[in-house]
Amino acid sequence: MPQSPHSKMQVKLGGNFLIAAAIESLAEASALAESHDVDREKFVSLMSSTIFDCLIYKGYGHRVAARDHHPYPDAHFALDLGSKDVSLVHSAAAQARCPMPIASLLRDRFVASQNAGRGGLDWSAVALKASEDAGSRQVAEAIRRLEKGFSE
């Protein structure tokens, strides 16, 4: 295991990068399922109880499928913080000349989500952009509910 503070920070960033990539993958797969009239919650439930039976896919999978991105006090990592970490990963990769094309995609997805005013929501709210990009008819109502709940 890493010993220096710099190495420990890179391990932390690597873990957060993997979580962000899992959220994005869940978002895209859910958008694809939904675009073919497959219930996104049933789809994610199936995936997270079979081939992706683990904490990250279960927890963030539920948030992505239900479009539940409220900042709960006991389970919340703000999108703004996720964006900072993804940017740090991208910078560290550039410094080391280590290609990370998914980090570039994630950085852009997080910035677009921040530009949409979602920085204070849970970082799983980046999933809303995948639904919007796919032309989801259901995402607009979910966004209205989130914005209403977040502004209260």
Side-chain angles (χ1 to χ4, degrees):
M1 207 35 116
Q3 299 301 317
S4 76
H6 178 75
S7 296
K8 290 177 184 177
M9 175 59 79
Q10 297 310 311
V11 169
K12 176 199 173 285
L13 290 175
N16 283 354
F17 165 76
L18 289 169
I19 295 169
I23 292 168
E24 177 66 21
S25 296
L26 283 160
E28 291 182 24
S30 296
L32 175 64
E34 185 176 54
S35 70
H36 287 278
D37 298 321
V38 173
D39 182 286
R40 61 188 291 117
E41 292 188 63
K42 289 179 180 175
F43 168 76
V44 170
S45 179
L46 175 66
M47 293 298 114
S48 66
S49 65
T50 56
I51 59 175
F52 295 104
D53 185 10
C54 66
L55 180 66
I56 296 302
Y57 278 86
K58 285 180 183 288
Y60 286 112
H62 169 75
R63 284 182 171 251
V64 168
R67 294 190 175 107
D68 178 10
H69 309 293
H70 292 284
Y72 297 107
D74 61 341
H76 173 57
F77 189 69
L79 192 143
D80 282 341
L81 294 174
S83 182
K84 177 186 69 88
D85 277 7
V86 167
S87 291
L88 289 170
V89 166
H90 193 266
S91 294
Q95 182 180 11
R97 297 176 52 97
C98 176
M100 291 185 75
I102 293 172
S104 297
L105 176 142
L106 290 171
R107 184 194 60 202
D108 292 348
R109 183 69 88 191
F110 273 85
V111 168
S113 296
Q114 287 175 302
N115 288 341
R118 300 175 185 150
L121 294 174
D122 186 80
W123 68 332
S124 60
V126 298
L128 296 170
K129 294 302 290 174
S131 292
E132 289 170 317
D133 290 352
S136 169
R137 297 176 301 277
Q138 296 87 357
V139 72
E141 178 57 31
I143 290 170
R144 278 193 290 279
R145 283 192 319 271
L146 277 169
E147 289 171 348
K148 182 180 177 198
F150 191 60
S151 64
E152 294 174 346

